[in-house]
Amino acid sequence: MDNHFLAIKDFSRQQLQSLLVRAMVLKQEASQNKTHNLLQGKIVSLLFDKPSTRTRVSFESAVYRLGGQVSFMSSRESQLTRGEPLKDMARVMSRYVDAIVVRTFGQEIVEELARYSDVPVINALTDLYHPCQILSDIMTVIEKKGAPENLKIVWLGDGNNMANSWIEAASVMGFSLSIACPDGYEPDKDILEESQKRGTGVITLQNDPLAAVKDADVINVDVWASMGQEEQQKERMKVFQPYQLNNELLKHAKEDAVVLHCLPAHREEEITDEVLEGPQSVAFDQAENKMHIHKAILEQFVNNIQE
Ligand code: CP
Ligand code: NVA
């Protein structure tokens, strides 16, 4: 297994499945109050350039629950702000810690850190990808609906970092994904094309939210303007309006469809309060699963377990 976790496409179906299975076991054990020392004596650095609630705290609690220690730093406080090269930072940090979890803007930043780091670098969201999140989302889908191969899974809205990671997951794990987004807001073209070539799962792209949602088992939504796109917020509110997941649209899905949102949610924008708080929403289980997935990822990468 590649010893950095930067993108879903870098892993095989079997490797992703083993992380999912391990996360489910760790969740089950947590419910029985079983304690672990899988990261005893290990230090995990969290280096965050963008805001975070869930990812930061779920990684922190994952490390502590496995017996390790966390060092958190916002890059605003680091010497990067004064021009220190990433390659120097990566080599220095490797001497201090056992893994570096990074949330930042460009994917090239995590790639550069990984190139020069002797310890695993884990992508906790870039403008291009959110790979850890997608594993917790798939774990939630499996818990609620069973194997993704047998489901109609929909991505509704912006073709953003979340959509790109869902596309790669569909291609590697061999399930189908129906994407509906407005013209000009499609997922990354290269990621889509490469995934369509790689995959056994069929990945379709269209503009019509109703056609995409029809008979869906799983519907994923996310904010219309991601972090770093705040100045486009107003324009996006108009363009994305037809993609709002409300009860009217949701009734075209299967009656027992589940709704996923990685959170934070903007109620009455991409999702209505009624749907997010309604019986089909699994967003809060999904948020919990981030912690269990992060435990599985950290255990595997910090301890360099080869699958
Ligand atoms: N879902 C997610 O990544 O949330 P945060 O931005 O709060 O970490
Ligand atoms: N697409 C969102 C996800 C937030 C968890 C963003 O990048 O802001």
Side-chain angles (χ1 to χ4, degrees):
M1 187 179 265
D2 188 341
N3 211 34
H4 301 288
F5 191 78
L6 305 187
I8 295 282
K9 69 167 166 38
D10 299 336
F11 300 94
S12 67
R13 177 187 180 147
Q14 193 201 340
Q15 287 167 334
L16 298 177
Q17 259 162 354
S18 90
L19 286 170
L20 288 163
V21 168
R22 183 64 182 144
M24 287 181 196
V25 169
L26 288 166
K27 182 175 182 176
Q28 170 71 16
E29 289 177 351
S31 74
Q32 296 158 348
N33 296 321
K34 182 168 177 196
T35 54
H36 291 285
N37 53 13
L38 299 160
L39 292 184
Q40 194 162 22
K42 305 288 186 186
I43 300 173
V44 176
S45 160
L46 267 56
L47 186 61
F48 278 39
D49 281 344
K50 288 179 176 175
S52 172
T53 299
R54 280 146 288 275
T55 308
R56 175 179 173 173
V57 179
S58 60
F59 261 112
E60 289 178 340
S61 92
V63 174
Y64 289 125
R65 285 174 192 276
L66 297 185
Q69 301 286 317
V70 172
S71 160
F72 178 86
M73 184 162 63
S74 141
S75 48
R76 280 192 305 280
E77 297 154 7
S78 79
Q79 294 287 10
L80 288 176
T81 54
R82 299 179 66 247
E84 181 167 30
L86 281 168
K87 62 181 182 181
D88 291 1
M89 176 151 179
R91 285 175 290 178
V92 169
M93 303 262 297
S94 301
R95 310 266 177 131
Y96 301 146
V97 300
D98 299 285
I100 309 172
V101 178
V102 188
R103 168 168 286 201
T104 189
F105 292 88
Q107 182 70 10
E108 68 284 357
I109 297 174
V110 289
E111 284 168 5
E112 170 114 3
L113 282 168
R115 201 169 309 124
Y116 287 94
S117 171
D118 294 326
V119 299
V121 173
I122 297 168
N123 181 354
L125 182 146
T126 61
D127 293 342
L128 196 65
Y129 290 127
H130 199 359
C132 301
Q133 176 73 50
I134 266 50
L135 283 190
S136 20
D137 299 356
I138 294 171
M139 175 176 169
T140 312
V141 169
I142 295 169
E143 284 176 346
K144 305 289 177 190
K145 304 298 299 175
E149 298 87 308
N150 305 324
L151 302 171
K152 179 171 181 187
I153 302 180
V154 175
W155 178 266
L156 185 66
D158 192 19
N160 60 15
N161 44 7
M162 288 282 300
N164 292 335
S165 287
W166 263 105
I167 289 168
E168 290 194 348
S171 80
V172 175
M173 297 191 70
F175 60 82
S176 299
L177 185 67
S178 307
I179 305 163
C181 48
D183 274 336
Y185 296 88
E186 292 86 2
D188 183 275
K189 198 166 165 282
D190 294 339
I191 291 173
L192 184 61
E193 280 174 13
E194 277 168 32
S195 300
Q196 279 168 332
K197 274 188 230 145
R198 179 190 308 117
T200 49
V202 181
I203 302 164
T204 57
L205 183 61
Q206 61 184 320
N207 295 133
D208 185 351
L210 205 146
V213 163
K214 192 167 164 35
D215 297 327
D217 297 287
V218 176
I219 306 170
N220 288 281
V221 289
D222 186 16
V223 289
W224 290 338
S226 286
M227 289 180 276
Q229 298 174 330
E230 288 77 11
E231 77 291 350
Q232 299 171 27
Q233 178 89 8
K234 243 176 151 179
E235 172 64 18
R236 285 172 171 261
M237 290 310 109
K238 284 184 252 155
V239 176
F240 281 95
Q241 203 54 52
Y243 296 80
Q244 181 188 71
L245 187 60
N246 48 39
N247 273 338
E248 189 54 36
L249 186 55
L250 183 57
K251 75 178 183 217
H252 296 278
K254 288 195 183 140
E255 226 173 295
D256 59 353
V258 291
V259 172
L260 276 81
H261 193 313
C262 65
L263 304 176
H266 290 176
R267 286 168 167 81
E268 310 313 322
E269 292 180 15
E270 74 276 2
I271 191 165
T272 57
D273 182 64
E274 210 172 15
V275 173
L276 187 64
E277 300 290 350
Q280 288 169 270
S281 165
V282 295
F284 294 94
D285 294 323
Q286 189 186 348
E288 176 185 335
N289 285 340
K290 284 172 71 73
M291 180 178 68
H292 304 297
I293 279 289
H294 294 164
K295 286 190 284 188
I297 291 173
L298 288 165
E299 178 195 15
Q300 173 118 33
F301 286 81
V302 174
N303 296 327
N304 199 4
I305 299 168
Q306 298 294 329
E307 289 291 332

